[in-house]
Amino acid sequence: MRAFSYSRAESVADALKGVVGHGETKVVAGGTNLLDLMKADVMRPTRLVDITRLPLNRIEETAEGGLRLGALVTNADTAHDERVRSRYPMLSRAILAGASAQLRNMATNGGNLLQRTRCYYFYDTGTPCNKREPGSGCGAIGGVNRIHAILGASEHCIATHPSDMCVALAALAAEIRVTGPRGERTIPFEAFHRLPGDAPQIDTNLAPDEIVTAIDLPARGFAAHSTYLKVRDRQSYAFALVSVAAALEIEDGKVTAARLALGGVAHKPWRDQAAEEALVGRPADAGSFAVAAEAVLRDARGFGHNDFKIDLARRAILRALQDAAASETP
Amino acid sequence: MDQRLAELRDTAPAVPDRIPISLVVNGVEKRMEVAAWTTLLDLLRNTLDLPGTKKGCDHGQCGACTVLVDGRRINSCLTLAVMKDGCEVTTIEGLATGDVLHPMQQAFVDHDAYQCGYCTPGQICSAVGLISEGQARTREEIRDLMSGNICRCGAYPNIIAAIEGVLGGTAPAQAKEDPA
C-alpha cells in the first residue's frame, strides 16, 4: 500500500471539512473494498478520513412507517436486525447472499452502496480501463468478459455493479440520505448509481464533497411475497453472475404491485419499472412472469463470453417471480 | 549536482507521522505507534510477535487472517490498525486458558480438522465468531457461514464436524476433563 495520511472525524461536520478541497481524500469506514483497491494500487488516495466514530450506526423507525438504516451500521447487523428480517426479508436475504461473514461484520451500509466493480481489467493496472484511467480504453470489450454487463453498457465500459444489497434496495425503492456543504438531500435509489456512458470513472451521483448518512426504506416491504435469487459459480462467497430481487403484492391471484431488479447485469442495480407495471393486473403465474422477463431483457446484449447471461437472467427472473408468488414468509 | 539533489530532497513529500494507539490484545494492553497504512494483520505478526494469525491472500478472500475484534470475527488484512484504536483483539494465541485449549481448538484436534494447518488459526477464530453470532443451526448454515475461510487441503468435512460438535455441545472429551 502507498503511504497516506490519516485523520479521524469526530463529527459529520468534521468529516465534511476533511473531505472538502482534498481531491485525493477518501472516506473510510469498513475498508473492505477501499483498502483492497489500495493494496492493488487501483485507488491511490493520499489521505483517509476515518468516519467510523460518527453517530450513524443506528437503525431507526421513520415517521412514514419505514426504517432508516444508518450508513455505518454493518451489513451483518442490518441483515440480522429483527425489524429488517421481518419487514424486509428480501433485503436481509440479499445482504446475507453477499461476501463472507467476516466481511459482512466489517462492511457498512454506506460502503456497500459505494463499492466498486470487480471487473478484472479494473483491478489489473497493466491493462486499459476507462473506469480506472479515463481514456485508456476498455479491456473487457473484446477481452474476457464472462462476468460483464448485458444491459445499459456503453462502448467505454461494460463493468457491473457487484452489490447484492443494492439490488434489493433498488427493488424496495429505498432513498439515500446524503449530506455535504450544500446541506442534506435525498437521492432516490435509482438515481444514485450511474450508467457508464462516456464517464465510467464516475460510479454514483454522490458529489465528491458529500457523504452518505443513511438509507431510508419505505414502509412497503413486500414481506409476504418477495425473494432474492443469486446465481453464481459457487454456492457461497462469490459475486453474482445474475441475481434477481423480486417482490409482489397479490390479491385474488392477481398481481396488484410488482418490483423487479437485477444484479450482475449492469453498471448499476437494474430495476425495470415498465416490466413491473406490465405485471400489474395480470394473473400471478408463469405466463405473466415470462412476459415480464422478456420485457426486462428486450435490449440485452452480450459481448461474447457473457452471452449466456441473457438466457440465465430470463430463467432467473421467471424463477424468482414464481418463488416470490409462492412464498408467504421467507 | 549537490544543489540539485538538495532541491529534489526538499520536494519529497513529508512522510506522515506515526500515530499512537492502544489495543487490548489477548487480554494485555499494548501501546504503540503505527504508520497509518499498517494493517492489523501486519501489526500482530510483525510488531506484536503474534505470528499465529496467518497472511494468505492479503485481500480478504481466504480468511487465514481472521481474528476477533470486540468479539466479532473480521479479516485483519483489510483492517487498518489505527482504526481499531481502543479495541479488544483476540487471536489464536489468546483462545486457550493456560494449557487448556479452547473448546473449538480441542474440537479441531479431536476431529483432525486440518492437514497443513496454515488456514487453521483463521478457521478456529472464525468458528468461535460463528458460535457467538448464533446464526448457524444446521450443517448447511455452518458451511455457508464458514465460506469466508478457504482450506486448500480440503479439510472441510472435518472442520464442519468440529464446529458442529461444539455447536451441539457434543464435542468429544474436552482437554480439561482429561486427568492426564
Side-chain angles (χ1 to χ4, degrees):
Chain A
M1 219 179 321
R2 288 171 192 251
F4 57 86
S5 64
Y6 167 90
S7 64
R8 184 183 294 155
E10 304 295 341
S11 66
V12 173
D14 206 14
L16 292 177
K17 233 184 297 163
V19 175
V20 174
H22 298 88
E24 291 174 272
T25 298
K26 285 284 168 196
V27 157
V28 65
T32 55
N33 190 210
L34 178 61
L35 295 178
D36 184 36
L37 288 165
M38 287 168 69
K39 287 183 179 190
D41 211 24
V42 173
M43 292 180 74
R44 302 168 181 177
T46 55
R47 195 155 166 272
L48 291 190
V49 176
D50 173 359
I51 60 164
T52 51
R53 315 281 163 127
L54 303 187
L56 304 172
N57 57 352
R58 282 185 292 274
I59 297 178
E60 296 166 311
E61 298 285 342
T62 66
E64 294 76 32
L67 283 182
R68 175 163 300 164
L69 311 175
L72 290 174
V73 181
T74 65
N75 288 177
D77 283 346
T78 304
H80 295 310
D81 183 273
E82 203 38 57
R83 295 161 292 180
V84 175
R85 265 189 184 181
S86 58
R87 288 153 61 183
Y88 307 94
M90 174 174 64
L91 176 61
S92 179
R93 193 165 167 164
I95 294 171
L96 294 174
S100 66
Q102 290 96 314
L103 291 168
R104 293 193 296 268
N105 278 344
M106 306 164 73
T108 63
N109 291 336
N112 194 304
L113 302 175
L114 297 170
Q115 66 182 304
R116 309 212 64 194
T117 185
R118 262 59 176 195
C119 171
Y120 1 86
Y121 297 95
F122 177 66
Y123 266 82
D124 184 349
T125 56
T127 64
C129 170
N130 287 322
K131 187 180 278 298
R132 175 169 33 77
E133 226 170 290
S136 64
C138 173
I141 299 173
V144 176
N145 51 40
R146 184 169 176 275
I147 65 169
H148 290 78
I150 53 170
L151 287 164
S154 78
E155 60 185 301
H156 303 288
C157 179
I158 61 170
T160 59
H161 193 264
S163 172
D164 293 296
M165 180 184 192
C166 287
V167 183
L169 290 173
L172 288 168
E175 292 185 324
I176 313 304
R177 297 177 65 85
V178 309
T179 189
R182 295 165 300 286
E184 289 195 58
R185 64 182 179 122
T186 301
I187 306 175
F189 197 86
E190 279 201 80
F192 188 79
H193 295 98
R194 297 176 73 260
L195 287 178
D198 58 5
Q201 71 275 18
I202 307 170
D203 292 343
T204 71
N205 289 314
L206 182 75
D209 56 2
E210 290 177 318
I211 63 169
V212 174
T213 56
I215 301 166
D216 280 0
L217 303 179
R220 202 179 202 180
F222 295 90
H225 293 290
S226 59
T227 195
Y228 184 73
L229 173 66
K230 181 174 182 180
V231 185
R232 43 186 158 171
D233 283 327
R234 61 182 176 200
Q235 188 63 32
S236 185
Y237 200 18
F239 290 102
L241 292 166
V242 171
S243 70
V244 183
L248 298 166
E249 284 178 6
I250 300 170
E251 274 173 41
D252 300 326
K254 284 209 160 94
V255 176
T256 54
R259 295 287 175 77
L260 191 55
L262 271 66
V265 298
H267 195 260
K268 60 185 284 189
W270 189 266
R271 182 180 167 199
D272 191 322
Q273 294 199 50
E276 292 171 0
E277 281 157 25
L279 273 172
V280 175
R282 287 175 169 271
D285 64 17
S288 308
F289 301 154
V291 172
E294 291 301 329
V296 172
L297 296 164
R298 64 190 169 267
D299 296 323
R301 181 200 158 184
F303 292 87
H305 302 112
N306 69 345
D307 292 349
F308 74 98
K309 278 193 178 186
I310 299 172
D311 205 30
L312 185 63
R314 184 179 293 116
R315 295 174 191 200
I317 292 168
L318 181 58
R319 182 172 139 197
L321 284 168
Q322 286 178 303
D323 286 353
S327 73
E328 273 304 328
T329 46
Chain B
M1 182 56 99
D2 283 354
Q3 192 188 340
R4 178 73 186 129
L5 277 176
E7 282 170 16
L8 284 173
R9 188 195 59 200
D10 291 343
T11 61
V15 176
D17 291 334
R18 291 165 78 83
I19 303 157
I21 63 166
S22 106
L23 295 172
V24 176
V25 181
N26 297 331
V28 180
E29 185 174 352
K30 305 275 185 186
R31 292 178 176 277
M32 64 223 112
E33 294 193 337
V34 298
W37 50 89
T38 304
T39 62
L40 180 59
L41 173 62
D42 286 343
L43 182 82
L44 291 168
R45 289 181 56 85
N46 302 340
T47 306
L48 297 179
D49 202 19
L50 293 168
T53 306
K54 297 293 185 269
K55 182 180 281 193
C57 68
D58 209 23
H59 286 278
Q61 296 176 9
C62 76
C65 69
T66 303
V67 299
L68 302 161
V69 171
D70 293 339
R72 305 184 69 162
R73 52 178 165 159
I74 61 153
N75 300 101
S76 61
C77 74
L78 290 181
T79 302
L80 295 178
V82 67
M83 291 178 69
K84 296 299 166 193
D85 184 20
C87 290
E88 285 191 25
V89 181
T90 304
T91 70
I92 190 71
E93 291 94 339
L95 288 179
T97 307
D99 289 336
V100 181
L101 293 180
H102 183 283
M104 191 62 74
Q105 290 175 305
Q106 189 60 49
F108 269 63
V109 172
D110 295 338
H111 287 272
D112 193 19
Y114 39 76
Q115 286 184 44
C116 84
Y118 195 81
C119 72
T120 308
Q123 297 277 3
I124 291 175
C125 286
S126 188
V128 170
L130 174 144
I131 300 280
S132 66
E133 286 159 12
Q135 302 294 337
R137 293 168 299 275
T138 65
R139 172 171 280 246
E140 276 313 301
E141 286 168 342
I142 296 172
R143 283 163 56 89
D144 182 48
L145 292 170
M146 286 298 292
S147 67
N149 293 84
I150 308 295
C151 172
R152 264 196 62 180
C153 303
Y156 299 111
N158 291 1
I159 291 170
I160 302 303
I163 298 169
E164 216 175 8
V166 174
L167 190 62
T170 57
Q174 309 279 298
K176 62 189 170 195
E177 293 165 9
D178 184 348

